[in-house]
């Protein structure tokens, strides 16, 4: 280790023998242009405003701050700041921004952050100082009675994190409802209290923990085993603003290829080659729309990544080519472990050794652990040169037409290692722009191995095919993992509990910055019964990532198992997914521009469900929104025949399947309403549902305009017929549509289509506004079929504002739906419809 590396390594954390330090009293302070720096004995507290609504809080136990570098926060976001207005009085020092009032109380030292109305957003816990001990730290915050907590990625347990505690340490485990930790570490959460929300992100890669009142009833806490105390507070006040602020810090997801939003079929494993072809043929023969097939590790020679077994896959390039002719994209697994195979002609090992790309033991030798290939070595992804080498390993697969890659086992999982991973004293080398060159132990790097593995894959594919959007699926990741593609919840189980758990896990992933998420439909471990698999395929149709996957030894999982009746139901939901692709792709575009997730908890669109005057929204952890418009309400206990209650956020809702307005009874008064004499307007409207296997309750928000396309069998297929715009009248009626070629980066140079729509209605007329179309991409449709729901009569006049000729209309009385066929136009126009 060089002298520079040695100094830098020491700066990252105090030794385990460091003294106990409590940050208890201000002993000095200094104003900064963008914040304040406070001395508290040997410790230093620095608070800066990156934006008016984002604060960075750093605490150094010995007065010297560690290196200012981050694997998660974007350099541009971390380096920017705003001027603040200083404030000081007898009891505190601090500053104000255009959004926040920041005070550090003198004794005891306590950070209190308020909005400009004086309402406390976040405050250090009374009587619980920030402490440093054994090389780590603990921070304590007040926990108001009515505050709720969400995030930390796909943790198990209840949706609301309150009264739970979690460890963030990426772990390969077949999880159950109460297992922690699991595959991902995203040290970000959102706090919601009434009408105000904030986010807190701890930028620390070590083993961290969060306790939301499990140990103390009036405070929550967080800390780490080592590393810097460096965290960010993001003020909303709405939950959506918090999510956008977190995306500003850690990045937005790239726009994925359109085909990745289609249905995907996988198994551990489809082998030999003939079985892959059988699955592809059956999907097409049964007209099950689908886009992707997967190969798990059994396609490899001796389970060695970047190989193909010539016995079971004798014509791999031909297989890839033939699947593309059937309009399938092939995704192959490439685990990060490289077989330790010296002098055996195994190129990944030979080239990796030549480039010194593998993680070391403390004595400088290669670390070797047991995984699927047997003895294996592990790329040191904290080296930029190693990531470049890794990306180059995909060259042949990319040339042969493999469409995407699946990075699994990257916690990293080591079968014979302590805690099923590497020893904590294994040595990584940080050779990365923006970081001091140094060595680091696995204790520091463990949680970012999956993140940097996915990054290496993504960047490598970009280099190999610069104008093709990569598809990378990773199991383990860290904050900022959204920048490199998709993730899923790992090895779930074929149980009704896991179907329930999937919704809240995916919602919390979305709130944690990762929009493109899914689970193993049907459950990875064990075998689902007919009804469970059907229900899971139904719900999965409304998740961002839609993959059916199963473990080796389980019963078949494919759509057609369990007979034609079950297959017909499942096919219908997959078909619905494909008809909704224009809406889904528009949401994907929104996610890539804003960081707002595709799959959303109710409160992201309706934060008033947490208002003090609102009664409990019973479906908060089982119902979810797909974008702003679709409400999905599966049974909370799908294994039972019991009726259940759907809660509706405020406004009018329509049944997605029938188009009819929902018949919801007036809301029952809450206890607040009874005390105040109100009428129950603050309670959610509800409907009683009798579960039926072939119908998943789905509703459309009044005021929505949904783009829908004719049915296709894959995203390679061009839809035939008009684009359908479904209009559900209501307040603030609007919608949008995004389209491009679906796979290149030409959209970044103007080759896209974006159009906004509005509608206004009264008792007997509707006006639909078509905004000016942006971009140069030509659509596949020549006509548009406008469908207006809740329409009273077939006697209508319908014409465009720039043409008095009457348009062709038809009326579906059973759905109270008026259909109007009109020519497509890129220009601004208005459709006017009136009864007569």
């Amino acid at each position: 280790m060089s002298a520079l590396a040695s100094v830098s390594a020491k700066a990252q954390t105090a030794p385990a023998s460091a003294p106990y330090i409590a940050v208890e009293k201000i002993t000095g302070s200094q104003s900064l242009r963008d914040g304040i720096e406070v001395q508290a004995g040997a410790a230093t507290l620095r608070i800066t405003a990156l934006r008016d609504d984002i604060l960075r809080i750093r605490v150094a136990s010995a007065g010297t701050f560690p290196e200012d570098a981050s694997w998660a926060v974007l350099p541009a976001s971390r380096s920017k700041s705003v001027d603040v207005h200083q404030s000081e009085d007898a009891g505190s020092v601090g500053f104000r921004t255009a959004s926040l009032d920041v005070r550090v109380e003198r004794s005891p030292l306590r950070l209190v952050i308020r909005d400009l109305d004086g309402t406390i957003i976040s405050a250090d816990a009374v009587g619980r100082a920030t402490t440093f001990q054994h090389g780590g730290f603990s921070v304590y915050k007040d926990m108001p009675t009515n505050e709720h907590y969400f995030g930390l990625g796909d943790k198990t347990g209840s949706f609301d994190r309150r009264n739970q505690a979690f460890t963030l340490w990426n772990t390969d485990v077949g999880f159950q409802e109460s297992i922690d930790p699991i595959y991902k570490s995203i040290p970000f959460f959102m706090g919601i209290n009434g009408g105000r929300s904030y986010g807190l992100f701890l930028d620390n890669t070590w083993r961290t923990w969060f306790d939301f009142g499990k140990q103390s009833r009036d405070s929550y806490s967080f800390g780490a085993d080592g590393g810097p105390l460096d965290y960010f507070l993001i003020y909303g006040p709405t939950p959506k603003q918090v999510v956008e602020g977190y995306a500003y810090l850690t990045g937005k997801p790239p726009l994925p290829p359109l085909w990745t939003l289609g249905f995907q079929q996988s198994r551990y494993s489809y082998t030999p080659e003939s079985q892959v072809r059988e699955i592809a043929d059956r999907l097409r023969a049964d007209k099950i729309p689908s886009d992707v097939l997967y190969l798990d590790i059994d396609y490899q020679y001796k389970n060695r990544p970047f190989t193909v077994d010539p016995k079971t896959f004798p014509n791999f390039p031909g297989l890839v080519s033939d699947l593309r002719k059937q309009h399938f994209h092939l995704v192959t697994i490439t685990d990060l472990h490289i077989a330790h195979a010296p002098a055996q002609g195994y190129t990944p090992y030979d080239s990796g050794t030549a480039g010194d790309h593998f993680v070391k033991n403390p004595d400088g030798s290669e670390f070797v652990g047991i995984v699927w290939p047997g003895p294996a070595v592990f790329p040191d992804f904290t080296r930029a040169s190693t990531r470049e080498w890794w990306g180059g390993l995909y060259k042949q697969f990319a040339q042969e037409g493999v469409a995407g890659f699946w990075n699994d086992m990257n916690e990293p999982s080591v079968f014979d290692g302590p805690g099923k991973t590497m020893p904590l004293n294994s040595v990584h080398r940080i050779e990365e722009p923006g970081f001091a060159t140094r060595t680091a132990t696995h204790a520091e790097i463990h949680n970012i191995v999956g993140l940097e593995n996915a990054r290496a894959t993504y960047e490598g594919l970009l280099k190999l095919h610069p104008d093709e959007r990569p598809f990378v699926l990773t199991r383990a990741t860290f904050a900022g993992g959204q920048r490199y593609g998709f993730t899923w919840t790992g090895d779930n189980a074929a149980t009704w509990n896991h179907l329930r758990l999937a919704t809240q896990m995916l919602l919390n992933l979305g709130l944690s910055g990762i929009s493109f998420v899914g689970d193993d439909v049907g459950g990875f471990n064990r075998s689902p019964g007919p009804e469970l698999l059907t229900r899971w395929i139904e719900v999965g149709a409304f998740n961002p990532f839609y993959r059916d996957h199963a473990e080796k030894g389980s019963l078949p999982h494919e759509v057609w198992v369990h007979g034609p009746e079950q297959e017909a139901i499942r096919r219908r939901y997959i078909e619905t997914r494909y008809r909704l692709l224009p809406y889904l792709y528009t949401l994907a575009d929104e996610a890539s521009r804003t960081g707002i997730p595709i799959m959303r908890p109710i409160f992201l669109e309706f934060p008033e469900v947490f208002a003090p005057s609102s009664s409990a929204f019973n479906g908060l952890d089982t119902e979810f929104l797909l974008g702003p418009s679709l409400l999905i309400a599966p049974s909370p206990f799908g294994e039972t025949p019991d009726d259940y209650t759907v809660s509706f956020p405020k406004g009018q809702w329509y049944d997605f399947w029938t188009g009819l307005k929902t018949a919801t009874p007036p809301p029952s008064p809450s206890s607040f309403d009874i005390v105040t004499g109100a009428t129950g307007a603050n309670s959610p409207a509800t409907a009683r549902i009798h579960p039926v296997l072939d119908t998943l309750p789905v509703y459309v928000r009044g005021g929505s305009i949904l783009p829908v396309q004719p049915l296709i069998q894959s995203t390679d297929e061009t839809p035939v017929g008009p684009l359908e715009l479904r209009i559900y009248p209501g307040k603030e009626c609007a919608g949008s549509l995004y389209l491009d070629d679906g796979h290149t980066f030409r959209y970044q140079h103007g080759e896209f289509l974006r159009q906004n729509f509005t509608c206004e209605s009264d008792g007997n007329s509707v006006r639909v506004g078509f905004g000016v179309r942006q971009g140069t991409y030509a659509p596949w449709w020549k006509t548009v079929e406008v469908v207006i729901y809740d329409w009273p009569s077939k006697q209508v006049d319908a014409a465009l504002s720039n043409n008095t000729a009457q348009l062709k209309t038809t009326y579906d009385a059973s759905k109270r739906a008026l259909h109007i066929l009109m020519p497509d136009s890129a220009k601004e126009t208005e459709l006017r419809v009136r009864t007569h």
Side-chain angles (χ1 to χ4, degrees):
M1 184 187 296
S2 68
L4 173 61
S6 178
V7 170
S8 299
K10 291 179 180 177
Q12 294 304 297
T13 180
S17 59
Y20 173 86
I21 296 173
V23 184
E24 296 178 310
K25 182 179 180 179
I26 292 180
T27 57
S29 64
Q30 176 184 353
S31 297
L32 306 174
R33 174 193 63 81
D34 54 1
I36 191 169
E37 187 166 290
V38 170
Q39 283 72 51
T44 303
L45 167 66
R46 183 183 296 165
I47 309 168
T48 53
L50 305 191
R51 296 191 328 195
D52 290 322
D53 56 351
I54 298 180
L55 304 176
R56 184 182 184 188
I57 299 99
R58 304 177 73 194
V59 186
S61 62
T64 301
F65 289 99
E67 175 189 7
D68 189 2
S70 176
W71 299 100
V73 180
L74 300 173
S77 302
R78 201 173 64 255
S79 61
K80 292 179 181 177
S81 63
V82 298
D83 292 346
V84 302
H85 300 283
Q86 301 294 330
S87 60
E88 183 174 356
D89 56 33
S92 66
V93 294
F95 60 87
R96 289 167 68 94
T97 73
S99 301
L100 296 170
D101 179 72
V102 180
R103 301 282 178 140
V104 183
E105 297 175 355
R106 295 182 184 273
S107 184
L109 188 151
R110 183 168 175 256
L111 173 60
V112 181
I113 301 167
R114 297 177 173 87
D115 65 15
L116 298 187
D117 293 331
T119 301
I120 292 178
I121 303 302
S122 172
D124 288 348
V126 177
R128 301 295 299 272
T130 294
T131 58
F132 293 84
Q133 190 175 23
H134 304 307
F137 58 82
S138 300
V139 179
Y140 304 86
K141 299 285 185 182
D142 276 347
M143 188 174 70
T145 303
N146 295 319
E147 193 155 282
H148 305 269
Y149 304 98
F150 304 91
L152 299 184
D154 54 343
K155 291 293 189 180
T156 58
S158 63
F159 183 38
D160 188 344
R161 305 308 193 194
R162 192 180 178 100
N163 298 322
Q164 300 179 83
F166 302 92
T167 299
L168 274 64
W169 183 252
N170 292 356
T171 305
D172 176 11
V173 59
F175 66 90
Q176 294 300 326
E177 295 85 339
S178 59
I179 295 292
D180 183 71
I182 54 175
Y183 305 102
K184 301 171 189 67
S185 295
I186 305 178
F188 167 78
F189 70 86
M190 177 187 299
I192 304 177
N193 190 354
R196 294 175 175 83
S197 305
Y198 69 91
L200 192 150
F201 169 52
L202 175 61
D203 192 7
N204 183 295
T205 65
W206 294 65
R207 187 185 189 100
T208 57
W209 54 270
F210 290 79
D211 185 328
F212 297 100
K214 190 167 186 176
Q215 187 178 56
S216 173
R217 72 176 66 185
D218 56 4
S219 67
Y220 70 81
S221 55
F222 58 89
D225 286 355
L229 175 43
D230 186 355
Y231 67 98
F232 298 78
L233 186 132
I234 306 161
Y235 178 54
T238 69
K240 193 174 283 189
Q241 288 171 306
V242 172
V243 172
E244 289 177 310
Y246 178 68
Y248 169 81
L249 287 177
T250 63
K252 304 176 185 70
L255 182 64
L258 175 62
W259 58 266
T260 63
L261 300 178
F263 179 68
Q264 311 188 23
Q265 185 64 57
S266 181
R267 183 174 179 81
Y268 172 34
S269 285
Y270 289 134
T271 186
E273 180 181 311
S274 59
Q275 188 181 28
V276 182
R277 295 180 182 276
E278 289 170 5
I279 296 295
D281 290 345
R282 181 68 184 268
L283 286 164
R284 292 292 177 243
D286 285 17
K287 294 191 179 301
I288 298 166
S290 45
D291 268 87
V292 188
L293 290 174
Y294 282 74
L295 294 183
D296 210 318
I297 62 174
D298 288 334
Y299 81 95
Q300 300 170 144
Y301 175 69
K302 296 184 177 180
N303 289 336
R304 295 178 177 182
F306 301 101
T307 67
V308 175
D309 188 333
K311 292 183 178 179
T312 52
F313 288 82
N315 185 17
F316 185 78
L319 172 66
V320 179
S321 176
D322 290 346
L323 290 175
R324 282 302 296 129
K325 292 173 184 175
Q326 291 181 283
H327 305 294
F328 285 107
H329 295 80
L330 184 66
V331 173
T332 61
I333 199 168
T334 50
D335 292 340
L336 83 168
H337 44 256
I338 297 296
H340 184 260
Q344 296 181 38
Y346 178 43
T347 299
Y349 178 78
D350 293 342
S351 62
T353 299
D356 195 22
H357 291 306
F358 299 127
V359 175
K360 307 292 187 183
N361 291 310
D363 65 3
S365 61
E366 290 178 346
F367 167 74
V368 180
I370 303 297
V371 208
W372 294 119
V377 291
F378 299 79
D380 195 356
F381 291 112
T382 53
R383 303 176 72 225
S385 61
T386 297
R387 294 198 304 274
E388 184 175 8
W389 161 80
W390 173 268
L393 295 178
Y394 289 97
K395 183 177 180 179
Q396 183 170 346
F397 280 156
Q399 289 176 340
E400 292 171 344
V402 177
F405 297 94
W406 171 17
N407 293 162
D408 202 354
M409 308 293 291
N410 53 358
E411 291 69 36
S413 179
V414 182
F415 295 162
D416 64 336
K420 206 175 177 181
T421 193
M422 295 181 189
L424 299 186
N425 64 351
S426 300
V427 179
H428 298 259
R429 291 154 291 164
I430 298 177
E431 299 171 7
E432 170 75 5
F435 287 76
T437 299
R438 62 182 177 88
T439 60
T441 66
H442 191 67
E444 177 184 349
I445 301 303
H446 174 87
N447 278 340
I448 62 166
V449 170
L451 170 73
E452 294 303 300
N453 175 206
R455 175 187 179 184
T457 305
Y458 186 88
E459 292 176 348
L461 296 177
L462 270 181
K463 187 173 181 179
L464 291 168
H465 289 308
D467 199 33
E468 286 292 323
R469 299 175 222 168
F471 172 66
V472 179
L473 176 66
T474 184
R475 186 169 73 178
T477 194
F478 186 72
Q482 65 270 12
R483 302 193 296 262
Y484 310 116
F486 287 60
T487 191
W488 89 107
T489 58
D491 294 350
N492 60 357
T495 69
W496 290 97
N497 281 343
H498 273 248
L499 174 57
R500 273 189 292 276
L501 186 62
T503 291
Q504 57 207 46
M505 292 178 78
L506 298 182
L507 290 175
N508 271 315
L509 273 170
L511 292 175
S512 304
I514 305 184
S515 294
F516 298 104
V517 295
D519 63 342
D520 285 342
V521 168
F524 176 74
N525 289 308
R526 301 194 293 275
S527 305
E531 187 167 334
L532 175 57
L533 181 56
T534 296
R535 291 288 191 194
W536 216 316
I537 288 174
E538 291 174 357
V539 175
F542 300 93
N543 294 162
F545 175 58
Y546 193 22
R547 182 180 75 154
D548 180 350
H549 183 51
E551 72 170 332
K552 183 179 291 190
S554 65
L555 297 175
H557 243 235
E558 290 74 33
V559 179
W560 49 83
V561 302
H562 306 131
E565 182 179 352
Q566 298 288 348
E567 181 182 8
I569 298 171
R570 297 164 186 170
R571 182 190 299 109
R572 175 185 171 219
Y573 281 83
I574 298 171
E575 290 175 345
T576 298
R577 166 79 166 211
Y578 275 76
R579 298 207 67 201
L580 283 172
L581 278 177
Y583 178 63
L584 269 169
Y585 199 51
T586 301
L587 295 176
D589 168 63
E590 180 187 15
S592 73
R593 291 182 293 105
T594 68
I596 299 299
I598 293 173
M599 183 176 171
R600 305 173 185 178
I602 301 298
F603 61 75
L604 201 65
E605 293 290 334
F606 300 92
E608 63 272 12
V609 299
F610 284 125
S613 59
S614 294
S615 61
F617 191 96
N618 290 329
L620 202 61
D621 58 349
T622 55
E623 300 176 20
F624 64 92
L625 295 163
L626 185 64
S629 298
L630 293 181
L631 172 67
I632 293 85
S635 170
F637 299 100
E639 66 270 44
T640 72
D642 300 336
D643 291 358
Y644 67 98
T645 298
V646 172
S647 294
F648 293 97
K650 70 176 183 180
Q652 180 60 60
W653 292 86
Y654 295 76
D655 187 298
F656 174 76
W657 306 111
T658 67
L660 300 176
K661 280 185 175 180
T662 54
T664 56
S668 302
S670 66
S671 56
F672 179 87
D673 297 326
I674 294 171
V675 170
T676 60
T679 61
N682 294 312
S683 300
T686 60
R688 197 70 177 162
I689 298 294
H690 180 70
V692 180
L693 180 60
D694 65 356
T695 303
L696 171 67
V698 179
Y699 304 93
V700 188
R701 183 180 186 174
S704 298
I705 301 178
L706 283 184
V708 180
Q709 70 183 17
L711 179 62
I712 54 177
Q713 292 300 306
S714 81
T715 57
D716 284 345
E717 184 180 340
T718 300
V720 177
L723 173 74
E724 188 175 319
L725 283 183
R726 297 183 180 180
I727 296 175
Y728 302 84
K731 295 181 180 179
E732 301 176 355
C733 184
S736 62
L737 175 64
Y738 176 83
L739 185 68
D740 59 29
D741 66 19
H743 65 102
T744 74
F745 289 97
R746 293 171 198 155
Y747 70 92
Q748 296 178 350
H749 306 286
E751 292 187 34
F752 65 87
L753 181 157
R754 182 175 290 115
Q755 190 168 23
N756 296 322
F757 312 102
T758 60
C759 73
E760 297 179 8
S761 60
D762 54 31
N764 63 351
S765 70
V766 169
R767 296 178 301 281
V768 182
F770 293 76
V772 176
R773 193 172 286 167
Q774 303 172 42
T776 62
Y777 188 75
W780 50 262
W781 60 89
K782 302 297 182 184
T783 57
V784 177
E785 184 174 1
V786 176
V787 184
I788 304 174
Y789 290 95
D790 196 38
W791 187 260
S793 168
K794 67 178 181 179
Q795 305 299 323
V796 297
D797 294 319
L800 297 174
S801 57
N802 57 0
N803 191 332
T804 59
Q806 291 295 299
L807 297 170
K808 179 182 178 181
T809 65
T810 56
Y811 184 67
D812 184 341
S814 64
K815 294 186 175 182
R816 290 177 56 85
L818 179 68
H819 295 248
I820 307 159
L821 194 64
M822 56 175 280
D824 179 54
S825 174
K827 299 179 180 179
E828 184 175 14
T829 189
E830 184 178 76
L831 171 64
R832 299 170 180 172
V833 187
R834 180 181 295 273
T835 60
H836 61 79

